[in-house]
Amino acid sequence: MNSTEQSLLHANSEKSAVEKEPEAFRKALAIILKERSFSYPSFDIYKGVTGLLDYGPSGRLVELNVLSLWRKYFVNEEDMLEVGCTALTPEIVFNASGHVKKFTDLMVKDVINGKNHRADHLVKGYCERLKKDVTISAEKAAELDNLLSVVENLSAEELGAKIQEYGITAPDTNNPLSHPPRPFNLMFQTSIGSSGSTNGYLRPETAQGIFVNFNEYYKDSGEKLPFAVAQVGRVFRNEISPRQGPIRAREFLLAEIEHFVDPENKSHPKFPDVESLEFLMFPREEQEKSGQSAKKLCLGEAVAKGTVNSETLGYFIGRVYLFLVCLGIDKERLRFRQHKANEMAHYAADCWDAEIECSYGWIECVGIADRSAYDLLAHSRISKVALKAEAKLAEPIQVEELVITPVMREMGLAFKGDQKNVVEALQALNEEEAMKMKGTLESKGEVEFEVCTLGKKVTINKDMVSILKKRTLVSTRVFTPSVVEPSFGIGRIMYCMYEHCISTRPSKAGDQQLNVFRFPPLVAPIKCTVFPLVQNQQFEEATKLISKQLKSDGIKHKIDVSGKSIGKKYARADELGVPFAITVDSETSVTIRERDSRDQVRVSLKEAASVVTSMAEGKKTWQDVCARLNG
Amino acid sequence: MNSTEQSLLHANSEKSAVEKEPEAFRKALAIILKERSFSYPSFDIYKGVTGLLDYGPSGRLVELNVLSLWRKYFVNEEDMLEVGCTALTPEIVFNASGHVKKFTDLMVKDVINGKNHRADHLVKGYCERLKKDVTISAEKAAELDNLLSVVENLSAEELGAKIQEYGITAPDTNNPLSHPPRPFNLMFQTSIGSSGSTNGYLRPETAQGIFVNFNEYYKDSGEKLPFAVAQVGRVFRNEISPRQGPIRAREFLLAEIEHFVDPENKSHPKFPDVESLEFLMFPREEQEKSGQSAKKLCLGEAVAKGTVNSETLGYFIGRVYLFLVCLGIDKERLRFRQHKANEMAHYAADCWDAEIECSYGWIECVGIADRSAYDLLAHSRISKVALKAEAKLAEPIQVEELVITPVMREMGLAFKGDQKNVVEALQALNEEEAMKMKGTLESKGEVEFEVCTLGKKVTINKDMVSILKKRTLVSTRVFTPSVVEPSFGIGRIMYCMYEHCISTRPSKAGDQQLNVFRFPPLVAPIKCTVFPLVQNQQFEEATKLISKQLKSDGIKHKIDVSGKSIGKKYARADELGVPFAITVDSETSVTIRERDSRDQVRVSLKEAASVVTSMAEGKKTWQDVCARLNG
């Protein structure tokens, strides 16, 4: 890394500098992420494909740590059911869910080189560039702001009109663009089986696998609401022209929770645990006023005022906040933004995004949506399988039930081989039709009746069927549950965490800037390095002993026996975000150094591994350890 | 579950009975796996697609436990680099690896209903059915055995000939089959990007993602061999007609290790740790004799005799054995079978499969292959990126190096704009071509030279180029590493484990047979159930305390406050394979019961959770606990 890149990273401590040169900052960070094996473009020896990203050993360890914390914060804390569904999905599922029709982006083509572009991104880019022009009028600026706030939700015609009005051309080439924008489905399509007859897609979210199995999970939960099902898995979205490498990937890991709840009772027993939290929130109404930004609100008040539509939604917003902060996300660059009415997905009733600010702007990293009963109803309708829950009523209620009883002997005599079709058609009558038939039978004694499955009309007389309404007492209510869905883009969260945790500081000699990843110990890929101060047999044995203990505790560590100076060793470990370093400098005791404070404590050789383990597992802090050993 | 199904499960303790009625046994097991939420067909409300399987909450916990043990046994034990590559892969990668051409199965079509079948499976099924006919001659039986041993490796013509010779027709319909069999590529194809111009596939193995990134991982390993890269991820294979539900899935989890090693030194420092192991092995030569089966061999001897081709391959065979047995696989139904020469994948130099016997027969669950340098060479050739390692030589050696030096001034004068192409063509000469040109230049002063990139011949004279062989002293050897690959089919291992762990035993009253999953504690989805003996406030508080401690230790448990009898509660827990049950029957102490022995010990309330945790994490055994508390 050269000194320009170095200084750009250094600038990260001053947010304004990153904002000034976001591209240079990103480029410098990308170099570290590759050099230290966090992540890099896939299939690079073949020049790769945009939108695909591999995790190297450091990145994979961070991912496993993030998932482990996620399980602790959500799955274990709430006794959720974690499941595993397939990514390959037959078409009928996404027909039912609406994805085949609606999971699209609008695209325009560079008419000369044939390259496709996302229409909304072009308009957005145009507005953002123009806004930087200080000579534009206040009126024009307000127009641009207004357009920016709705650009993702414009129709093909509206977007096409804007592209023509502003004379927007293709990026890089300035070529004219096709008109009007066309929808492009973002799901990857494939064919399942050897006959080519079963169309399939790769899931763009894990949720549908959960919805179709609702009855299984309802059984697993003892047929009681609320309960939650969690799933971690790769999902696939065929982005039109992914430019924001780590942010807009074509294959990425989602961690999703489907919390099923009675639509008449969205309270949450643990809401009091989070109601006093305060953090940046950006409600819908605030966004509609111009010049507003997110403000610190108290979560309990936001729910009480109805800004957040239920305790359950509020509870998850609070838990997501705690989780992200625990990962090392900067509170000041984290906000919860409510979707505007025209912005919500085709299935959502209310939605709040946890957005994290990074060099790409405010990025949606977690979506917390109330999907209402949309998906269960859709699958139930197409599959003809009931996906419902039952709740005991406070006291039984009277209901009227329609009972249609064909008299089989009469029907058999009259219709012979057609009897079955006639019976089924009668039983399929809805209440209105049935009561009309009852009236006609009572007044005229018979009625003409169209049997679709026979393709003809038959005559029904009053001896052939009894139609009546029965009053019964029921003690349960049967309903389709609502679902509240927190959905975590693990890769985006990780990338934002890298941006928030990277920093630089001068070397001891002051002659250069050194990179430091200030990961919380729980997240750091490697928890500890072990250096023998000199290479002799005693120190080597002590090093082995510590390493063996750390391994048996499952603590990832590295031993550095290179001939480098201790300063260089620290610098290399700091750049990887290793929080603790053990220097073996005696046969009986060692020095432990903490990355951020660069403070040191001495502990006995015997204790060294367990002290580091307790901090790496989050059971003790560095302050706890210092207080005990120095105090 | 009805009593017939029950008795079939019961029969599992007697292997011969399972062999007699494997289908009925499987059906009974499938019912338990669904009822207790281990696994079931995906998208069942839509009647699903064969070959896709979902894991319910119990199955997903087992999977996480198996992976955690796998990481402990392999990744952590050997300090492997775990990485994460994408499943979506551009075509060029699988062109290079040979999968586009060779990852195929031969298929024949039912000419009436159009359904496809795997040709080798039809011939195999025919032979197996015929073998059961006691009236066939010894000669015929030997012919069938012989055919069975090679059927998976016959060419399209050979298989087609057998189908015609035996008059094999389509299963179920008896319709005639298409001829000859046609190859069908098992990779799922899709298109990456919106233009439709980039062909892509879903990976059928995770390995290629690792091979193309070899240089990154070599750097991560300090440029030293051997080192190993591990990857856990979903892979996709479009099976022609998957019938063996849990065994032949179209999407499944692979856990793969690529251990890169110097081809001139395949010794392994930890081989002594496993060399005294003895288990069932089935070498190639034994399989070629008729009537042989796997025999118990000592691993050290098998390597010493060259039956297993290297210590490294032997080391992984030994580790795989220990891992599988630790999961609860029955040693007597586990064998390591060497691939016959004609059976190996297109890339393999030697290969041993860990095969587990279940109701489907002997099933390949782990493949341990020496892929030699095949993949790295293939990717290097197509991508033009060197994928090599270096080793220091014991002492420097003299090597002859070919040096071709074009004389730029002469070349420029002679060829002008074509100069670059001529120079590149000269530098691409191999040694033989170059020495021949040198000879001609020396004897005749000039030579005709075909420049492909220009599509014409040019005349080179002796002033234009110098060709010589230089002797240099080198102290390193540059080579393409070999790779030893243990590849674990996690889903198959789990299914075989279910078959080996299920059993039944009479209830206490002796009036019914109860199912018990005898999972080792480390694998069991739920480690412990907690029952308050009666429902009162003291017992409820004690239950909460234990539950809180177990949760903070990360131990999966269930609280059962149903009004059922303690016997019924035990039975329900046993069927899920829960190894320990805590009954809260006093305010100060509790009873812990172990699933298999049904023995009980009393421990203090305070200690209860930590005693169960130590057993659930494999740090203590039930015997340890009993000895301490009863002794």
Side-chain angles (χ1 to χ4, degrees):
Chain A
M1 173 162 306
N2 64 37
S3 60
T4 321
E5 287 155 1
Q6 198 71 61
S7 69
L8 283 160
L9 278 175
H10 181 48
N12 193 28
S13 44
E14 299 162 63
K15 201 180 122 188
S16 62
V18 179
E19 278 175 1
K20 241 185 258 162
E21 304 213 52
E23 281 177 34
F25 168 74
R26 282 201 294 265
K27 216 172 131 190
L29 179 61
I31 291 170
I32 300 186
L33 291 178
K34 182 169 161 79
E35 272 179 5
R36 303 315 305 271
S37 305
F38 288 92
S39 61
Y40 30 78
S42 306
F43 312 112
D44 213 21
I45 64 169
Y46 291 108
K47 308 289 163 254
V49 178
T50 48
L52 296 179
L53 206 71
D54 281 357
Y55 288 170
S58 308
R60 177 62 173 152
L61 285 170
V62 171
E63 185 181 55
L64 289 171
N65 291 339
V66 169
L67 290 177
S68 154
L69 208 67
W70 184 82
R71 288 204 172 87
K72 192 178 155 195
Y73 261 77
F74 298 98
V75 181
N76 297 353
E77 180 64 29
E78 317 291 335
D79 293 319
M80 293 177 179
L81 306 170
E82 186 177 338
V83 301
C85 306
T86 61
L88 274 173
T89 308
E91 185 165 41
I92 190 170
V93 175
F94 291 125
N95 269 330
S97 68
H99 284 81
V100 171
K101 271 204 183 139
K102 296 182 185 163
F103 198 70
T104 56
D105 277 338
L106 292 166
M107 102 185 154
V108 287
K109 195 188 279 288
D110 179 323
V111 296
I112 310 291
N113 72 9
K115 209 176 152 192
N116 294 316
H117 300 276
R118 252 182 82 167
D120 59 340
H121 284 183
L122 295 187
V123 173
K124 200 173 160 195
Y126 174 86
C127 294
E128 279 167 354
R129 277 191 307 277
L130 201 59
K131 264 182 69 184
K132 286 181 191 154
D133 180 351
V134 290
T135 66
I136 62 167
S137 66
E139 211 173 36
K140 185 74 184 172
E143 179 196 320
L144 294 174
D145 273 335
N146 193 34
L147 182 53
L148 277 171
S149 75
V150 297
V151 68
E152 282 169 28
N153 312 293
L154 295 180
S155 68
E157 293 65 35
E158 290 166 331
L159 265 179
K162 283 292 164 198
I163 287 173
Q164 295 198 317
E165 179 187 337
Y166 293 142
I168 297 172
T169 53
D172 309 330
T173 65
N174 269 333
N175 293 331
L177 294 166
S178 62
H179 179 81
R182 284 194 311 114
F184 173 72
N185 197 296
L186 300 182
M187 291 193 294
F188 285 98
Q189 198 172 358
T190 192
S191 176
I192 305 176
S194 55
S195 72
S197 62
T198 306
N199 226 340
Y201 293 95
L202 295 176
R203 62 180 177 195
E205 58 172 17
T206 74
Q208 301 304 325
I210 295 177
F211 296 136
V212 300
N213 288 338
F214 171 80
N215 288 337
E216 291 295 329
Y217 310 138
Y218 185 53
K219 172 202 80 186
D220 292 330
S221 306
E223 310 199 336
K224 278 193 191 113
L225 289 182
F227 69 90
V229 182
Q231 181 167 204
V232 177
R234 294 271 184 94
V235 301
F236 303 82
R237 298 183 186 179
N238 198 5
E239 298 288 347
I240 291 169
S241 52
R243 289 155 165 260
Q244 305 167 308
I247 298 296
R248 199 165 291 280
R250 285 177 164 146
E251 173 176 347
F252 57 98
L253 196 71
L254 265 192
E256 293 196 297
I257 293 164
E258 309 301 326
H259 179 91
F260 294 98
V261 65
D262 185 339
E264 294 185 9
N265 178 10
K266 294 186 182 176
S267 65
H268 197 290
K270 288 158 93 178
F271 184 67
D273 295 355
V274 297
E275 66 181 358
S276 59
L277 289 174
E278 288 187 9
F279 44 78
L280 294 174
M281 297 184 81
F282 203 6
R284 189 178 293 152
E285 304 84 64
E286 293 296 306
Q287 296 168 53
E288 277 155 10
K289 299 174 197 163
S290 86
Q292 295 299 310
S293 61
K295 289 202 178 59
K296 233 164 228 172
L297 296 183
C298 165
L299 183 56
E301 282 174 33
V303 170
K305 284 184 187 159
T307 310
V308 171
N309 88 348
S310 73
E311 272 188 17
T312 296
L313 204 60
Y315 178 71
F316 282 113
I317 290 174
R319 293 293 296 173
V320 168
Y321 169 79
L322 292 172
F323 169 69
L324 292 174
V325 169
C326 180
L327 288 179
I329 296 296
D330 177 0
K331 291 173 205 196
E332 303 303 321
R333 288 188 272 170
L334 165 62
R335 72 180 184 193
F336 288 81
R337 189 179 69 79
Q338 188 174 29
H339 278 204
K340 282 167 285 181
N342 62 356
E343 179 187 2
M344 278 190 289
H346 60 271
Y347 46 72
D350 188 13
C351 187
W352 289 76
D353 285 344
E355 295 183 333
I356 305 178
E357 194 182 22
C358 71
S359 65
Y360 290 101
W362 286 98
I363 298 298
E364 172 196 352
C365 290
V366 187
I368 309 157
D370 183 337
R371 293 176 81 131
S372 69
Y374 177 89
D375 302 274
L376 291 183
L377 285 172
H379 287 298
S380 198
R381 192 164 50 239
I382 307 293
S383 69
K384 316 270 185 231
V385 172
L387 302 170
K388 286 181 181 295
E390 256 185 59
K392 242 198 163 80
L393 290 166
E395 42 193 287
I397 53 164
Q398 289 266 353
V399 293
E400 277 196 336
E401 201 186 349
L402 179 70
V403 183
I404 300 172
T405 319
V407 180
M408 288 305 181
R409 201 175 40 87
E410 297 290 327
M411 301 280 280
L413 287 170
F415 304 118
K416 305 203 171 66
D418 292 343
Q419 180 187 3
K420 187 164 162 278
N421 299 57
V422 179
V423 168
E424 281 175 1
L426 279 174
Q427 285 175 329
L429 289 174
N430 67 26
E431 185 165 330
E432 193 188 332
E433 294 160 349
M435 295 321 287
K436 200 175 151 198
M437 180 182 278
K438 182 184 170 73
T440 313
L441 286 176
E442 279 166 8
S443 61
K444 304 196 175 159
E446 64 174 46
V447 65
E448 289 288 280
F449 178 53
E450 168 97 38
V451 181
C452 294
T453 54
L454 293 175
K456 64 175 182 188
K457 286 190 175 176
V458 298
T459 306
I460 303 283
N461 69 44
K462 66 180 163 41
D463 299 331
M464 290 179 185
V465 63
S466 114
I467 296 172
L468 52 88
K469 274 193 179 169
K470 219 167 95 183
R471 284 182 165 269
T472 46
L473 207 62
V474 298
S475 54
T476 55
R477 184 167 56 89
V478 177
F479 60 93
T480 303
S482 279
V483 65
V484 173
E485 175 195 82
S487 173
F488 300 70
I490 299 296
R492 286 187 173 187
I493 293 172
M494 284 168 63
Y495 181 76
C496 291
M497 202 177 75
Y498 295 147
E499 280 209 3
H500 288 200
C501 289
I502 192 72
S503 65
T504 61
R505 63 183 172 203
S507 62
K508 271 226 163 138
D511 57 342
Q512 52 177 328
Q513 289 292 326
L514 301 174
N515 303 318
V516 185
F517 262 126
R518 295 177 187 269
F519 297 127
L522 276 172
V523 171
I526 302 290
K527 310 301 184 188
C528 176
T529 43
V530 189
F531 313 134
L533 190 64
V534 290
Q535 294 202 34
N536 65 30
Q537 206 195 329
Q538 289 83 357
F539 286 9
E540 204 174 291
E541 271 167 27
T543 301
K544 269 193 196 157
L545 178 76
I546 293 171
S547 172
K548 201 178 151 194
Q549 287 171 345
L550 288 172
K551 196 179 255 190
S552 108
D553 290 340
I555 301 296
K556 288 277 172 189
H557 61 286
K558 280 190 178 177
I559 299 168
D560 187 344
V561 289
S562 69
K564 294 193 180 118
S565 73
I566 196 90
K568 286 235 168 81
K569 286 181 178 181
Y570 280 151
R572 255 195 93 62
D574 290 347
E575 194 183 54
L576 190 59
V578 182
F580 308 107
I582 298 177
T583 304
V584 178
D585 46 12
S586 122
E587 285 165 50
T588 53
S589 68
V590 301
T591 304
I592 303 181
R593 177 250 199 193
E594 194 270 339
R595 177 195 64 209
D596 298 340
S597 63
R598 287 181 279 189
D599 288 340
Q600 305 192 341
V601 292
R602 285 201 73 75
V603 300
S604 72
L605 176 60
K606 270 201 299 197
E607 252 196 317
S610 67
V611 166
V612 167
T613 296
S614 67
M615 294 188 290
E617 291 180 341
K619 288 177 185 160
K620 291 262 167 63
T621 64
W622 176 248
Q623 286 70 31
D624 296 337
V625 168
C626 291
R628 182 172 68 84
L629 291 167
N630 299 334
Chain B
M1 174 162 308
N2 64 36
S3 59
T4 320
E5 286 155 3
Q6 198 72 61
S7 68
L8 283 160
L9 278 175
H10 182 47
N12 192 29
S13 43
E14 299 162 63
K15 202 181 121 190
S16 61
V18 178
E19 278 175 0
K20 242 185 258 161
E21 303 213 53
E23 281 177 34
F25 167 74
R26 281 200 295 265
K27 216 171 130 189
L29 179 61
I31 291 171
I32 301 186
L33 291 179
K34 181 168 162 80
E35 272 180 6
R36 303 316 303 272
S37 305
F38 287 92
S39 60
Y40 30 78
S42 305
F43 313 112
D44 213 22
I45 65 169
Y46 291 107
K47 308 289 163 254
V49 178
T50 48
L52 296 178
L53 207 72
D54 281 359
Y55 288 171
S58 309
R60 177 61 172 151
L61 285 170
V62 171
E63 185 182 55
L64 290 171
N65 291 339
V66 169
L67 290 177
S68 152
L69 207 66
W70 185 82
R71 287 203 171 88
K72 192 178 154 196
Y73 260 77
F74 298 98
V75 181
N76 297 353
E77 180 64 30
E78 316 292 335
D79 293 319
M80 294 176 179
L81 307 170
E82 186 177 337
V83 302
C85 306
T86 62
L88 274 173
T89 308
E91 184 165 42
I92 190 171
V93 175
F94 291 125
N95 269 330
S97 68
H99 284 81
V100 171
K101 272 204 184 139
K102 296 184 188 163
F103 198 70
T104 57
D105 277 337
L106 291 167
M107 101 186 154
V108 287
K109 197 189 278 286
D110 180 324
V111 296
I112 311 290
N113 73 9
K115 211 177 150 191
N116 294 317
H117 299 276
R118 251 182 84 168
D120 59 340
H121 283 183
L122 295 187
V123 173
K124 201 173 159 195
Y126 173 85
C127 294
E128 278 166 354
R129 277 191 306 278
L130 201 59
K131 265 183 70 184
K132 286 181 190 154
D133 180 351
V134 289
T135 65
I136 60 169
S137 66
E139 210 172 35
K140 185 74 183 172
E143 178 196 321
L144 294 173
D145 273 335
N146 193 32
L147 182 54
L148 277 171
S149 75
V150 297
V151 66
E152 283 169 28
N153 312 294
L154 295 180
S155 69
E157 292 67 35
E158 290 165 332
L159 265 178
K162 283 292 163 199
I163 288 173
Q164 296 198 317
E165 178 188 338
Y166 292 143
I168 297 172
T169 53
D172 308 329
T173 66
N174 270 333
N175 293 329
L177 294 165
S178 63
H179 179 81
R182 284 194 311 113
F184 173 72
N185 196 296
L186 300 183
M187 291 192 295
F188 286 98
Q189 198 173 358
T190 192
S191 175
I192 305 176
S194 55
S195 71
S197 62
T198 306
N199 226 341
Y201 293 95
L202 296 176
R203 61 181 176 195
E205 59 171 15
T206 74
Q208 300 304 325
I210 296 176
F211 295 136
V212 300
N213 288 338
F214 171 81
N215 288 337
E216 291 295 329
Y217 309 139
Y218 185 55
K219 172 202 79 187
D220 293 329
S221 305
E223 309 199 337
K224 277 193 192 114
L225 289 182
F227 70 89
V229 182
Q231 181 166 202
V232 178
R234 294 271 184 94
V235 301
F236 303 82
R237 298 183 186 178
N238 199 4
E239 298 288 346
I240 291 170
S241 53
R243 290 155 165 259
Q244 305 167 308
I247 297 296
R248 199 166 291 280
R250 284 177 164 146
E251 173 175 347
F252 57 98
L253 196 71
L254 266 192
E256 294 195 297
I257 294 164
E258 309 301 326
H259 179 91
F260 295 98
V261 65
D262 185 339
E264 294 186 9
N265 178 10
K266 293 185 181 176
S267 65
H268 197 290
K270 288 158 94 180
F271 184 67
D273 294 356
V274 295
E275 66 182 356
S276 59
L277 290 174
E278 288 187 10
F279 45 77
L280 293 174
M281 298 184 82
F282 202 5
R284 188 178 294 151
E285 304 85 63
E286 292 297 307
Q287 296 168 52
E288 278 156 9
K289 298 175 198 163
S290 87
Q292 294 299 310
S293 62
K295 290 204 177 57
K296 233 164 229 172
L297 296 182
C298 165
L299 182 55
E301 281 173 33
V303 169
K305 284 185 187 156
T307 310
V308 171
N309 88 349
S310 73
E311 271 188 17
T312 296
L313 204 59
Y315 178 71
F316 282 113
I317 290 174
R319 293 294 296 173
V320 167
Y321 169 78
L322 293 172
F323 170 68
L324 293 174
V325 169
C326 179
L327 289 179
I329 296 296
D330 177 0
K331 292 174 203 194
E332 304 303 321
R333 289 188 272 170
L334 166 61
R335 72 179 184 193
F336 287 82
R337 190 180 69 78
Q338 189 174 28
H339 278 205
K340 281 167 285 181
N342 62 357
E343 180 188 1
M344 277 190 290
H346 60 271
Y347 46 71
D350 189 12
C351 187
W352 290 76
D353 284 344
E355 295 184 333
I356 305 178
E357 194 182 21
C358 71
S359 65
Y360 290 101
W362 286 97
I363 298 298
E364 173 197 351
C365 290
V366 187
I368 309 158
D370 184 337
R371 293 176 79 132
S372 68
Y374 178 90
D375 303 275
L376 291 182
L377 285 171
H379 287 299
S380 197
R381 192 164 51 240
I382 307 293
S383 69
K384 316 269 184 231
V385 173
L387 302 169
K388 287 180 182 293
E390 255 184 60
K392 241 198 165 80
L393 290 166
E395 44 193 287
I397 53 164
Q398 288 265 352
V399 294
E400 277 198 335
E401 200 186 351
L402 178 70
V403 184
I404 300 173
T405 318
V407 180
M408 289 305 181
R409 201 176 41 87
E410 297 290 327
M411 302 279 281
L413 286 170
F415 305 118
K416 305 203 171 66
D418 293 343
Q419 181 186 3
K420 187 165 161 278
N421 299 56
V422 180
V423 167
E424 280 175 0
L426 279 174
Q427 285 174 331
L429 289 175
N430 67 26
E431 185 165 329
E432 192 189 332
E433 295 160 347
M435 294 321 288
K436 199 174 149 197
M437 179 182 278
K438 182 183 170 75
T440 314
L441 286 175
E442 279 167 7
S443 61
K444 302 196 177 160
E446 63 175 45
V447 65
E448 289 289 280
F449 178 52
E450 168 96 38
V451 180
C452 293
T453 54
L454 293 176
K456 64 175 183 189
K457 286 190 176 177
V458 299
T459 305
I460 303 283
N461 68 45
K462 65 180 165 40
D463 299 330
M464 290 179 183
V465 63
S466 113
I467 297 172
L468 51 89
K469 275 194 178 170
K470 217 168 97 185
R471 286 182 163 269
T472 46
L473 206 62
V474 296
S475 54
T476 55
R477 184 166 57 89
V478 177
F479 59 93
T480 304
S482 278
V483 64
V484 173
E485 175 196 81
S487 173
F488 300 71
I490 299 297
R492 286 187 173 188
I493 293 172
M494 285 167 63
Y495 181 76
C496 290
M497 202 177 74
Y498 294 147
E499 281 209 5
H500 288 200
C501 289
I502 191 73
S503 65
T504 61
R505 62 183 172 203
S507 62
K508 271 226 163 140
D511 57 342
Q512 53 178 328
Q513 288 293 326
L514 302 174
N515 303 318
V516 185
F517 262 125
R518 296 177 187 268
F519 296 127
L522 276 171
V523 171
I526 302 290
K527 310 300 184 189
C528 176
T529 42
V530 189
F531 313 135
L533 189 64
V534 290
Q535 294 203 33
N536 65 30
Q537 206 194 328
Q538 289 82 357
F539 286 8
E540 205 174 290
E541 272 167 26
T543 302
K544 269 192 195 156
L545 178 77
I546 293 171
S547 171
K548 201 178 152 195
Q549 287 172 344
L550 289 172
K551 196 178 254 190
S552 107
D553 289 340
I555 300 297
K556 288 278 172 188
H557 61 286
K558 280 191 176 177
I559 299 168
D560 187 344
V561 290
S562 69
K564 294 195 181 116
S565 73
I566 195 91
K568 287 236 168 78
K569 287 180 178 179
Y570 281 152
R572 254 195 94 62
D574 290 347
E575 194 184 53
L576 190 59
V578 182
F580 309 107
I582 299 176
T583 304
V584 177
D585 46 11
S586 124
E587 286 166 50
T588 53
S589 68
V590 302
T591 304
I592 304 181
R593 177 251 199 193
E594 194 270 339
R595 177 195 63 209
D596 299 340
S597 62
R598 287 181 278 190
D599 287 342
Q600 306 193 341
V601 292
R602 285 202 72 76
V603 302
S604 71
L605 177 60
K606 270 200 299 196
E607 251 196 316
S610 66
V611 166
V612 167
T613 297
S614 67
M615 293 188 291
E617 292 179 341
K619 288 177 185 158
K620 291 261 167 62
T621 66
W622 176 248
Q623 286 70 30
D624 295 337
V625 168
C626 291
R628 182 172 68 84
L629 291 167
N630 299 334

